[in-house]
Amino acid sequence: MSSGSRRASRHQQEKDDDAPQWIPGLGSDKPKPRTLGTSFFGYVPDAFVEKTPYLPSERTADSAKKQAELEKSAGQRSESASEISEQDATAQRDMDASSDEGVVTEEVIVPRRVVGIAAEPWNTDALDGSAQNRLLIKGGRVVNDDMMQDADVYIEDGVIKQVGQNLHIPGGTKVVEAKGRLVMPGGIDTHTHMQLPFMGTFAVDDFYTGTRAALAGGTTMIMDFALPQRGESLVEAYHRWRAWADPKVCCDYALHVGVTWWSPKVAEEMRELTDDHGINSFKMFMAYKDTWQLGDSDLLESFKSCKELGALAQVHAENGDAIKENSKKLLSMGITGPEGHEMSRPEEVEAEATNRACVLANQVGCPVYICNVMSKSAAAVIGENLRKGKLVYGEAVVAALGTDGSHYYNTCWQHAAGHVMSPPLRNDPRTPSLLLELLNVGDLQATGTDNCTFSASQKALGKDDFTKIPNGVNGVEDRMAVIWEKGVVSGKMDPCRFVAVTSSNAAKIFNIYPKKGRIAVGSDADIVVWNPNATRVISAKTHHQAVDFNIFEGMEVHGIADYVICHGRVVVEEGELRVQSGMGKFVPTPAFCPYVYGRVEDRDRALAPQKVERAPYDGPVVQLNSQPQGAVTEHITAVQQENFYTRGPTRSGGVNLHDSSFHVSGAQLNDKSPKRPSVKVNNPPGGKTSGSFW
Ligand code: URP
Ligand code: ZN
């Protein structure tokens, strides 16, 4: 797609660059200063001023060294990322020549004009501390999840060094003009499946096109899933995903690992992954029978392991057995189209599994994160569990926030199939609105996309059978804009909450906060300079994803990422992408996240079962294994072996009438007794019945 066509799809609606319109989410005028405490976040000019003095080169070298150590330990830097093109090297020389310590040379990058910054090499050690790696974002409004402030942001070597006003900036620093813009943490997409091998094919957006598209939309980090086949080593799957991703990623990424089968070896590998490979979350599927689905006992085992390791248990919550049964029935009725996908996976199938996941995780005290909450019913289950103090988190995906399941009933097969994903979009127009409201109040905390894209010809694998349509949709590029539109522009959430649900909460839940998900000194310079006044129309014709379909086709959204800065490097400028494959890095996620596990130990202690202290029973105890005496006793012994609870025979050998003869299997206590003849009583007390008894 040409950048020109992309730009053509934008309708800039700024009235006057000098008088920024603080819409949406901020009102039409610049808000009056408020003090903290007037609302859950405060607009506090200067309250967060970090007038960090200019850091001497030793400090810079030190932080660069730490960064390098971290990267080295994760084995993460890709070779291609550090290659410097001739053009880049020339640009670097030019910039170094213009560097003039002590004098602030403001080389202003005016929005929508490309000035000055060439596609510099990614965070190359040789450039650390050089003017090329210095950037000032000037005049914008910094938005964090808990507050906003008008402040400049100074970045050096990929890290935020100063936030505030009247900063001391070294000479030669490049400047991004952010007047009238919101300066927010880059988005973190908690749920993607780039190039996933799935349902006989591979997702068409790979780690290059997918992360490139992510950056275009203001997302600077994705979290993908390494999903082993049943019986396959989890560690091998992890390495396979790393080998796919490392040379291709344009933005940072982390991995969750799937537990798609269970054995003691899986438990050992989970430990290895958390101890040595930076994995702190494992995903279990309650759907996809015969491939990834786990039964309840394996779910319990995996939850126990997660808890022991201080990892977060993630769950795809749908009842796979019910889905299989429903699908068979629908196909036998001749319902083969995409509507069958939605019909076979009704809300209650999602809600049941969501509740079961909460119950099972709670039995072992393991925090559980419900992925892709698609329905009102499942969200309600999460809300109920939260209010009972359970350790549960809920993730919304942008598909469910921006569109709905009515598309499955579209008479164009291709259009309907383009929306097939699991759990399905709900055919209830209130769902997106409700899920957004729940994100705002905190019943749901994070947002992902489940980005797993298949082009029309791949979807056509299921043209005669909806169960064969590869499941998955787009979203990684449009998540920020759609949530801004549906959340902030609609008045459902303010910009702080937007930041919370698009980055900060994810960073907290997956233990990478405040390195990610915050604009603060010491945080990674992953930043989006958001223009809330500009609009664009989403379309597959202009998006950066490889897939040929977009579930948000035709939606006009306010909010465009004017600039995206990834590790201090300007990678998006006026919708122009300047990325290199491999410039992103793997981000290890450490176990025992304080945000998730902070209250687990105390909770376990507080809720620990208490033994009742009492005098021991000193009466007689029946001998269950005593020699049987006579036919009836023999029979009772046999029944006991079937796990009946029984008080045993009376002293005369008769059935103890205090016992129930009911058994869940349908067996009766007396099933094995020789049949007794029925005795007809002609005039029973209480009158005749037509039945007989013995
Ligand atoms: O439809 C979806 N979600 N496809 C990807 C696999 C999964 O369920 O996460
Ligand atoms: Zn998924």
Side-chain angles (χ1 to χ4, degrees):
M1 186 219 70
S2 80
S3 55
S5 64
R6 181 178 171 82
R7 253 175 305 184
S9 73
R10 296 169 166 216
H11 310 289
Q12 303 304 329
Q13 293 183 340
E14 298 143 280
K15 290 182 186 127
D16 176 358
D17 258 359
D18 292 319
Q21 309 290 302
W22 289 104
I23 63 163
L26 300 174
S28 53
D29 293 319
K30 190 171 175 176
K32 295 203 170 50
R34 279 184 272 159
T35 49
L36 268 176
T38 55
S39 74
F40 79 94
F41 67 89
Y43 169 72
V44 190
D46 275 351
F48 195 61
V49 172
E50 296 272 7
K51 287 180 181 134
T52 322
Y54 171 56
L55 297 165
S57 52
E58 316 85 79
R59 285 279 302 278
T60 310
D62 191 47
S63 63
K65 199 167 141 227
K66 277 201 193 113
Q67 172 100 352
E69 274 166 13
L70 190 72
E71 286 168 2
K72 201 168 156 220
S73 71
Q76 56 209 3
R77 180 165 296 183
S78 87
E79 288 307 310
S80 63
S82 57
E83 282 166 11
I84 307 174
S85 71
E86 190 48 42
Q87 182 200 3
D88 295 339
T90 312
Q92 181 207 330
R93 279 194 296 273
D94 290 350
M95 286 172 184
D96 284 350
S98 73
S99 170
D100 179 14
E101 295 285 323
V103 181
V104 179
T105 314
E106 293 196 351
E107 188 180 337
V108 176
I109 301 168
V110 182
R112 251 159 306 291
R113 265 182 56 222
V114 182
V115 182
I117 292 194
E120 63 265 57
W122 169 245
N123 205 20
T124 310
D125 289 342
L127 298 178
D128 283 355
S130 79
Q132 189 179 355
N133 280 353
R134 297 180 196 141
L135 189 70
L136 178 68
I137 305 171
K138 196 168 169 29
R141 176 165 298 173
V142 171
V143 185
N144 275 311
D145 65 337
D146 54 356
M147 65 182 294
M148 291 189 274
Q149 63 170 144
D150 291 338
D152 299 340
V153 179
Y154 173 65
I155 295 157
E156 211 175 83
D157 299 331
V159 174
I160 298 174
K161 300 287 182 178
Q162 303 180 58
V163 180
Q165 285 166 351
N166 308 316
L167 304 178
H168 298 285
I169 306 299
T173 297
K174 307 298 171 276
V175 178
V176 165
E177 179 55 66
K179 203 168 184 182
R181 309 288 187 267
L182 301 174
V183 180
M184 304 190 283
I188 300 175
D189 185 336
T190 50
H191 189 154
T192 66
H193 301 282
M194 302 306 172
Q195 66 194 70
L196 177 69
F198 190 47
M199 297 181 77
T201 184
F202 282 83
V204 68
D205 273 295
D206 66 7
F207 280 99
Y208 176 67
T209 60
T211 53
R212 190 168 151 268
L215 286 170
T219 288
T220 52
M221 179 172 173
I222 62 160
M223 307 186 85
D224 208 271
F225 292 82
L227 298 175
Q229 298 303 309
R230 191 171 273 274
E232 191 197 355
S233 152
L234 276 63
V235 174
E236 277 169 26
Y238 161 86
H239 285 302
R240 195 163 72 251
W241 254 262
R242 289 290 310 269
W244 284 341
D246 285 358
K248 288 190 184 174
V249 282
C250 302
C251 70
D252 284 1
Y253 78 104
L255 287 174
H256 316 291
V257 174
V259 174
T260 51
W261 59 292
W262 187 256
S263 83
K265 177 172 179 268
V266 172
E268 279 166 32
E269 291 208 308
M270 288 170 75
R271 179 171 294 283
E272 186 180 336
L273 287 164
T274 35
D275 285 355
D276 305 334
H277 298 298
I279 299 298
N280 76 359
S281 58
F282 294 94
K283 179 168 182 181
M284 280 62 74
F285 289 85
M286 298 169 86
Y288 303 121
K289 194 166 168 60
D290 306 325
T291 53
W292 292 335
Q293 182 175 327
L294 293 191
D296 289 356
S297 56
D298 290 348
L299 281 171
L300 272 169
E301 290 301 327
S302 54
F303 291 158
K304 266 161 51 184
S305 277
C306 283
K307 168 134 191 231
E308 215 176 287
L309 300 172
L312 181 59
Q314 296 198 40
V315 168
H316 174 120
E318 284 186 292
N319 184 320
D321 296 85
I323 291 165
K324 188 164 183 188
E325 207 50 40
N326 293 343
S327 301
K328 266 195 281 183
K329 189 166 143 196
L330 288 158
L331 288 171
S332 75
M333 291 166 70
I335 299 176
T336 59
E339 69 280 11
H341 179 74
E342 198 253 350
M343 291 170 180
S344 66
R345 311 171 96 106
E347 283 206 29
E348 62 182 6
V349 162
E350 186 189 351
E352 182 278 327
T354 304
N355 189 55
R356 188 155 37 100
C358 292
V359 170
L360 295 179
N362 190 52
Q363 298 314 297
V364 297
C366 176
V368 66
Y369 176 97
I370 310 294
C371 295
N372 39 23
V373 177
M374 300 296 283
S375 64
K376 300 192 305 308
S377 328
V381 168
I382 292 171
E384 280 159 27
N385 276 281
L386 272 174
R387 275 174 275 290
K388 286 180 193 155
K390 307 287 166 62
L391 299 162
V392 57
Y393 300 90
E395 169 198 83
V397 295
V398 70
L401 304 173
T403 186
D404 64 47
S406 59
H407 295 283
Y408 298 127
Y409 297 84
N410 194 295
T411 51
C412 169
W413 188 91
Q414 199 173 314
H415 179 94
H419 290 81
V420 166
M421 69 180 299
S422 293
L425 294 160
R426 298 299 169 190
N427 192 21
D428 177 342
R430 293 169 303 171
T431 307
S433 185
L434 183 102
L435 294 177
L436 280 152
E437 281 150 13
L438 294 179
L439 276 166
N440 186 49
V441 297
D443 276 20
L444 302 174
Q445 299 83 23
T447 56
T449 54
D450 212 349
N451 192 96
C452 186
T453 49
F454 299 99
S455 290
S457 61
Q458 295 174 295
K459 290 273 181 183
L461 288 167
K463 68 185 175 51
D464 302 318
D465 177 348
F466 65 84
T467 64
K468 298 196 167 79
I469 301 172
N471 290 195
V473 299
N474 65 289
V476 76
E477 180 167 357
D478 300 318
R479 182 181 65 115
M480 299 286 276
V482 171
I483 297 175
W484 182 268
E485 184 68 24
K486 302 287 180 183
V488 182
V489 177
S490 74
K492 289 191 197 305
M493 58 178 74
D494 58 52
C496 290
R497 190 67 200 160
F498 172 81
V499 168
V501 302
T502 55
S503 68
S504 314
N505 287 354
K508 289 173 188 176
I509 292 169
F510 295 104
N511 210 7
I512 47 175
Y513 185 84
K515 173 183 164 69
K516 305 283 186 191
R518 189 158 189 93
I519 309 270
V521 172
S523 296
D524 282 356
D526 292 345
I527 295 173
V528 56
V529 178
W530 194 251
N531 183 349
N533 301 316
T535 63
R536 71 181 172 103
V537 177
I538 297 176
S539 173
K541 293 194 185 77
T542 51
H543 70 200
H544 294 83
Q545 298 205 223
V547 69
D548 57 6
F549 188 79
N550 192 312
I551 55 169
F552 307 117
E553 185 73 35
M555 186 188 291
E556 185 178 69
V557 287
H558 295 79
I560 288 184
D562 270 351
Y563 293 94
V564 179
I565 291 137
C566 195
H567 266 289
R569 172 177 172 157
V570 180
V571 292
V572 173
E573 203 173 326
E574 298 184 62
E576 299 276 357
L577 275 165
R578 294 160 174 211
V579 296
Q580 265 181 291
S581 60
M583 61 185 256
K585 291 182 303 174
F586 175 72
V587 179
T589 53
F592 287 107
C593 172
Y595 185 76
V596 172
Y597 271 84
R599 67 188 175 105
V600 168
E601 215 176 291
D602 289 334
R603 189 176 180 274
D604 282 352
R605 199 179 314 108
L607 298 178
Q610 296 295 317
K611 180 182 173 179
V612 176
E613 295 300 339
R614 57 165 74 85
Y617 171 78
D618 59 1
V621 179
V622 70
Q623 294 299 305
L624 293 181
N625 293 325
S626 58
Q627 277 298 88
Q629 294 165 2
V632 174
T633 321
E634 265 171 35
H635 151 65
I636 294 291
T637 306
V639 168
Q640 283 163 353
Q641 284 161 2
E642 280 188 11
N643 293 328
F644 269 101
Y645 167 75
T646 174
R647 285 186 170 82
T650 59
R651 254 189 295 162
S652 61
V655 173
N656 190 326
L657 296 176
H658 293 290
D659 263 340
S660 165
S661 63
F662 171 79
H663 187 265
V664 282
S665 70
Q668 294 290 318
L669 193 60
N670 299 330
D671 276 355
K672 293 186 181 147
S673 315
K675 279 242 156 56
R676 297 189 187 193
S678 63
V679 180
K680 189 161 186 187
V681 180
N682 281 332
N683 289 305
K688 273 190 184 177
T689 70
S690 54
S692 60
F693 60 92
W694 54 268

